[in-house]
Amino acid sequence: MSHENVRSSDLIGSDRVEGTAVYGSNGDKIGTVERVLIEKRGGQARDVEISVGSFLGMGGELHSLPWEKFDYNTELNGYQLDVTEDQLKGAPTYKESERDTAYDRDYQTRSYEYWAVTPYW
Protein backbone atom coordinates (compact mmCIF):
# COMPACT_ATOMS: atom_id res chain seq x y z
CA MET A 1 0.00 0.00 0.00
CA SER A 2 1.36 3.42 -0.90
CA HIS A 3 2.13 6.04 1.72
CA GLU A 4 -0.78 8.19 0.49
CA ASN A 5 -3.22 5.25 0.84
CA VAL A 6 -2.05 4.71 4.41
CA ARG A 7 -2.52 8.41 5.27
CA SER A 8 -6.03 8.55 3.79
CA SER A 9 -7.25 5.32 5.40
CA ASP A 10 -9.72 5.32 8.31
CA LEU A 11 -7.39 2.84 10.06
CA ILE A 12 -4.06 3.53 11.73
CA GLY A 13 -1.36 1.17 12.93
CA SER A 14 -0.50 1.23 16.61
CA ASP A 15 3.13 2.00 15.73
CA ARG A 16 1.97 5.29 14.18
CA VAL A 17 -0.06 6.24 17.27
CA GLU A 18 2.67 5.60 19.85
CA GLY A 19 4.90 8.65 20.13
CA THR A 20 2.29 11.00 18.66
CA ALA A 21 2.05 14.41 20.31
CA VAL A 22 -0.98 15.23 22.48
CA TYR A 23 -2.27 18.79 22.66
CA GLY A 24 -4.60 20.49 25.10
CA SER A 25 -7.72 22.41 24.20
CA ASN A 26 -5.64 25.57 23.69
CA GLY A 27 -3.34 23.85 21.14
CA ASP A 28 -0.28 23.64 23.41
CA LYS A 29 1.56 20.32 23.52
CA ILE A 30 0.95 18.61 26.86
CA GLY A 31 2.24 15.10 26.32
CA THR A 32 2.91 12.11 24.10
CA VAL A 33 1.02 8.88 23.44
CA GLU A 34 2.83 5.99 25.10
CA ARG A 35 0.41 3.18 24.23
CA VAL A 36 -3.15 2.37 23.31
CA LEU A 37 -5.07 -0.10 25.47
CA ILE A 38 -7.34 -2.37 23.45
CA GLU A 39 -10.24 -4.42 24.79
CA LYS A 40 -9.26 -8.08 24.37
CA ARG A 41 -12.62 -9.48 23.33
CA GLY A 42 -14.17 -6.58 21.45
CA GLY A 43 -10.99 -5.35 19.79
CA GLN A 44 -11.86 -1.70 20.44
CA ALA A 45 -9.35 0.92 21.51
CA ARG A 46 -10.55 1.91 24.98
CA ASP A 47 -7.84 3.92 26.72
CA VAL A 48 -4.78 5.89 25.70
CA GLU A 49 -1.79 6.17 28.00
CA ILE A 50 0.01 9.47 27.69
CA SER A 51 3.25 10.70 29.20
CA VAL A 52 3.19 14.22 30.60
CA GLY A 53 6.14 16.28 31.80
CA SER A 54 8.88 13.82 30.96
CA PHE A 55 12.26 14.80 29.54
CA LEU A 56 13.84 12.33 27.11
CA GLY A 57 11.45 9.67 28.37
CA MET A 58 12.50 10.13 32.00
CA GLY A 59 10.43 11.41 34.88
CA GLY A 60 7.02 12.86 34.37
CA GLU A 61 3.79 11.05 34.96
CA LEU A 62 1.47 8.77 33.08
CA HIS A 63 -2.26 9.16 32.57
CA SER A 64 -4.65 6.68 31.01
CA LEU A 65 -7.60 8.49 29.45
CA PRO A 66 -10.66 7.15 27.67
CA TRP A 67 -10.23 6.98 23.89
CA GLU A 68 -13.33 9.20 23.55
CA LYS A 69 -11.35 12.17 24.89
CA PHE A 70 -9.00 12.12 21.86
CA ASP A 71 -9.56 13.76 18.51
CA TYR A 72 -6.94 13.73 15.75
CA ASN A 73 -6.13 17.26 14.61
CA THR A 74 -4.57 17.25 11.13
CA GLU A 75 -3.34 20.84 11.51
CA LEU A 76 -1.41 19.95 14.67
CA ASN A 77 -0.40 16.52 13.35
CA GLY A 78 -1.37 15.04 16.70
CA TYR A 79 -4.18 14.18 19.07
CA GLN A 80 -6.03 17.01 20.72
CA LEU A 81 -7.86 16.67 24.03
CA ASP A 82 -10.83 18.79 24.95
CA VAL A 83 -9.20 19.45 28.33
CA THR A 84 -6.76 21.93 29.80
CA GLU A 85 -3.36 21.16 31.20
CA ASP A 86 -4.65 22.04 34.69
CA GLN A 87 -7.47 19.49 34.33
CA LEU A 88 -4.91 16.89 33.32
CA LYS A 89 -2.73 17.75 36.33
CA GLY A 90 -5.71 16.99 38.61
CA ALA A 91 -6.52 13.69 36.92
CA PRO A 92 -5.66 10.21 38.22
CA THR A 93 -2.01 9.43 37.45
CA TYR A 94 0.72 6.87 37.99
CA LYS A 95 4.48 6.47 37.53
CA GLU A 96 6.43 4.51 34.93
CA SER A 97 7.21 1.88 37.59
CA GLU A 98 3.44 1.44 38.13
CA ARG A 99 2.33 0.98 34.50
CA ASP A 100 0.09 -1.96 35.38
CA THR A 101 -2.12 0.59 37.16
CA ALA A 102 -3.72 1.31 33.76
CA TYR A 103 -5.31 -2.17 33.92
CA ASP A 104 -6.65 -1.75 37.45
CA ARG A 105 -10.45 -1.42 37.48
CA ASP A 106 -10.39 0.97 40.47
CA TYR A 107 -8.00 3.27 38.61
CA GLN A 108 -10.08 3.01 35.44
CA THR A 109 -13.24 3.83 37.38
CA ARG A 110 -11.62 6.94 38.90
CA SER A 111 -10.35 8.00 35.48
CA TYR A 112 -13.69 7.55 33.70
CA GLU A 113 -15.51 9.36 36.51
CA TYR A 114 -12.98 12.21 36.46
CA TRP A 115 -13.36 12.63 32.70
CA ALA A 116 -17.16 12.16 32.83
CA VAL A 117 -17.08 9.33 30.26
CA THR A 118 -19.37 6.33 30.52
CA PRO A 119 -17.22 3.23 31.17
CA TYR A 120 -17.11 0.60 28.46
CA TRP A 121 -17.51 -2.29 30.92
Side-chain angles (χ1 to χ4, degrees):
M1 183 178 260
S2 74
H3 182 67
E4 186 55 38
N5 286 344
V6 170
R7 290 179 52 89
S8 65
S9 174
D10 288 338
L11 301 175
I12 188 167
S14 62
D15 61 326
R16 293 184 53 88
V17 175
E18 294 166 358
T20 301
V22 177
Y23 298 90
S25 57
N26 64 357
D28 290 343
K29 183 179 177 187
I30 57 175
T32 305
V33 173
E34 290 293 316
R35 62 184 173 166
V36 177
L37 301 168
I38 300 168
E39 186 181 17
K40 284 181 183 178
R41 296 183 190 264
Q44 301 293 312
R46 295 299 184 186
D47 296 339
V48 179
E49 181 183 78
I50 64 171
S51 175
V52 177
S54 65
F55 179 72
L56 299 175
M58 303 295 286
E61 55 190 25
L62 297 172
H63 296 269
S64 179
L65 288 85
W67 180 257
E68 292 84 357
K69 298 301 287 180
F70 289 78
D71 186 37
Y72 192 78
N73 183 320
T74 55
E75 292 178 18
L76 294 173
N77 230 7
Y79 289 96
Q80 189 163 22
L81 299 172
D82 62 348
V83 302
T84 66
E85 190 171 2
D86 284 340
Q87 287 174 305
L88 190 59
K89 286 178 183 177
T93 186
Y94 50 96
K95 298 179 177 121
E96 178 71 31
S97 61
E98 306 167 330
R99 284 187 83 182
D100 286 350
T101 299
Y103 303 109
D104 180 72
R105 186 64 79 205
D106 289 336
Y107 172 85
Q108 288 181 314
T109 299
R110 287 192 316 275
S111 179
Y112 276 70
E113 286 175 355
Y114 183 86
W115 296 114
V117 173
T118 302
Y120 63 90
W121 58 91

